[in-house]
């Protein structure tokens, strides 16, 4: 059944019911009048009396609703006055049941919005936890790799010493350079590394290197306090420069880097408290090292110190 058909029959049936109800109400009013002693009232007159107040009420309510739902000025004869009775919420509050539904609907909307906010917060929290978990997993992987590197380097040191070749220390230091860059937090593909030892002339000379120009390996020699490596020797402290371009203390003049790199990490190689060399790792990027890198790279400098100590023992035995 179409909407127009439903509308037609609703009005038709409503009219029929009204025509049936009004005579019955008129008859009831006539009887009431008879009881009060007024027996000259007809049924039609009683119906009129009933219809007049109902009509007045309906028209009054209709006009009141119109005034409250229409923002247009009210025409009063030849004058229009502003409609201060206009209420934009009146349509949604015509009766109690509507008010209740509106109130419940508003509460439901608030609850839905609150749940949506909670849901967004939960999603953000899950994403953060996911990032934290990824970081923990990555760091755990680094420490596992560091443990494997440690075991492998110790075995290599023992086997190389037992083999007794002249260049065992150089081979071992190259193994150290290969292993130490694998435990850095950031990308390892752009890293280069060097190991310096103090020679007989008290110069810090490059001993082993990875991804460094050949000319640098022969020409880079530092006195104590000179350049980046020389300052680590002098101060006996780990040094991290995360933006080489802004460091005017260690990288200028003849000590300026011969190839571009953004950051560098240097660790002293010690025997006891005495500095015997320096381990450096360079990156092409700035801000590419952090404190975790400092802590883990120290081990590789220490094991280089151990190899240097064994080399001194072997050399002294041969001389005696």
């Amino acid at each position: 059944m179409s909407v127009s058909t439903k509308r037609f029959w609703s009005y038709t049936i409503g009219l029929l019911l009204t025509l049936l109800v009004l005579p019955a109400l008129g008859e009831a009013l006539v009887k009431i009048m008879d009881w009060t002693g007024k027996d000259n009232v007809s049924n039609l007159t009683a119906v009129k009396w009933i219809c007049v107040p109902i009509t007045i009420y309906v028209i009054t309510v209709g006009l009141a609703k119109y005034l409250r739902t229409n923002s247009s000025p009210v025409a009063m004869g030849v004058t229009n006055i502003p409609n201060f009775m206009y209420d934009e919420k009146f349509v949604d509050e015509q009766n109690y049941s509507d008010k209740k539904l509106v109130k419940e609907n508003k509460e439901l909307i608030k609850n839905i919005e609150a749940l949506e906010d909670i849901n967004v917060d939960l999603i953000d929290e899950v994403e953060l936890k996911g990032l934290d978990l990824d970081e923990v997993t990555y760091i755990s992987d680094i420490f596992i790799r560091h443990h494997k590197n440690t075991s492998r380097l110790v075995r290599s040191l023992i086997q190389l010493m037992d083999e007794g070749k002249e260049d065992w220390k150089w081979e071992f230091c190259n193994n150290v350079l290969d292993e130490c860059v694998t435990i850095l937090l950031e990308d390892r593909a752009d890293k280069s590394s060097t190991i310096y030892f103090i020679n007989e002339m008290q110069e810090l000379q490059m001993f082993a290197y990875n991804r460094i120009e050949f000319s640098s390996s022969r020409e880079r020699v530092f006195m104590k306090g000179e350049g980046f490596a020389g300052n680590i020797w002098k101060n006996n402290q780990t040094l991290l420069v995360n933006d080489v371009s802004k460091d005017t203390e260690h990288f200028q003049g003849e000590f300026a880097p011969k190839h571009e790199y953004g950051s560098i990490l240097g660790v002293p190689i010690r025997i006891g408290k005495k500095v015997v060399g320096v381990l450096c790792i360079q990156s092409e990027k700035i801000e590419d090292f952090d404190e975790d890198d400092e802590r883990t790279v120290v081990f590789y400098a220490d094991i280089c110190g151990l190899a240097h100590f064994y080399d001194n023992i072997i050399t002294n035995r041969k001389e005696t």
Side-chain angles (χ1 to χ4, degrees), residues 72-95:
S72 302
V74 180
M76 301 291 291
V78 295
T79 305
N80 291 339
I81 62 173
N83 186 5
F84 61 87
M85 296 160 286
Y86 171 67
D87 182 2
E88 61 182 5
K89 297 182 179 179
F90 176 75
V91 176
D92 295 330
E93 299 175 354
Q94 292 184 18
N95 52 55

Side-chain angles (χ1 to χ4, degrees), residues 45-296:
T45 303
V47 170
K48 290 179 180 179
W49 288 355
I50 294 173
C51 289
V52 170
I54 293 176
T55 302
I56 294 172
Y57 173 79
V58 170
I59 294 173
T60 302
V61 171
L63 288 173
K65 288 182 178 180
Y66 172 80
L67 292 173
R68 294 186 63 187
T69 57
N70 194 330
S71 59
S72 302
V74 180
M76 301 291 291
V78 295
T79 305
N80 291 339
I81 62 173
N83 186 5
F84 61 87
M85 296 160 286
Y86 171 67
D87 182 2
E88 61 182 5
K89 297 182 179 179
F90 176 75
V91 176
D92 295 330
E93 299 175 354
Q94 292 184 18
N95 52 55
Y96 176 78
S97 60
D98 286 344
K99 291 181 180 179
K100 186 176 180 182
L101 288 174
V102 169
K103 183 178 180 181
E104 291 177 352
N105 186 52
K106 289 180 178 178
E107 291 177 354
L108 286 173
I109 291 174
K110 288 182 180 179
N111 291 336
I112 291 172
E113 291 176 349
L115 289 174
E116 288 177 350
D117 292 338
I118 293 172
N119 190 43
V120 170
D121 292 339
L122 286 175
I123 292 174
D124 291 342
E125 187 68 22
V126 169
E127 290 178 351
L128 289 174
K129 293 298 181 184
L131 293 174
D132 292 341
L133 183 60
D134 290 341
E135 184 177 358
V136 170
T137 302
Y138 183 66
I139 292 174
S140 299
D141 177 65
I142 288 173
F143 281 110
I144 291 171
R145 191 182 302 118
H146 175 59
H147 175 73
K148 292 180 178 178
N149 290 354
T150 302
S151 302
R152 187 161 47 244
L153 286 172
V154 171
R155 289 195 301 270
S156 297
L157 178 61
I158 295 171
Q159 291 167 0
L160 286 168
M161 290 179 60
D162 182 64
E163 191 177 36
K165 290 184 178 181
E166 291 293 330
D167 61 349
W168 71 269
K169 178 182 171 184
W170 177 83
E171 185 175 347
F172 176 74
C173 286
N174 277 284
N175 289 340
V176 171
L177 293 181
D178 290 338
E179 300 285 10
C180 69
V181 294
T182 68
I183 50 81
L184 301 173
L185 291 178
E186 297 297 332
D187 179 38
R188 307 162 191 112
D190 66 338
K191 304 297 187 295
S192 57
S193 51
T194 52
I195 292 175
Y196 298 87
F197 282 116
I198 300 172
N199 60 25
E200 295 176 353
M201 295 179 289
Q202 291 300 298
E203 298 171 331
L204 197 60
Q205 186 175 13
M206 193 178 295
F207 180 77
Y209 57 92
N210 183 25
R211 297 185 75 237
I212 297 292
E213 291 183 10
F214 176 81
S215 59
S216 295
S217 69
R218 297 296 183 266
E219 298 171 3
R220 281 295 188 182
V221 177
F222 299 95
M223 300 301 294
K224 192 172 187 178
E226 289 182 341
F228 180 78
N231 271 276
I232 294 174
W233 175 12
K234 176 184 176 182
N235 298 319
N236 192 9
Q237 290 182 347
T238 298
L239 183 58
L240 171 59
V241 177
N242 261 323
D243 191 347
V244 172
S245 64
K246 295 181 180 179
D247 189 319
T248 58
E249 180 181 356
H250 307 108
F251 301 96
Q252 56 182 339
E254 61 178 311
F255 303 113
K258 291 187 176 180
H259 63 284
E260 293 184 1
Y261 51 86
S263 50
I264 184 170
L265 171 62
V267 181
I269 299 173
R270 305 184 186 95
I271 296 178
K273 295 182 179 180
K274 181 182 178 182
V275 177
V276 296
V278 174
L279 168 61
C280 293
I281 302 177
Q282 296 85 225
S283 172
E284 296 174 4
K285 302 175 184 177
I286 63 172
E287 303 290 339
D288 211 25
F289 300 104
D290 64 11
E291 294 179 357
D292 289 330
D293 293 325
E294 292 184 45
R295 284 191 288 268
T296 50

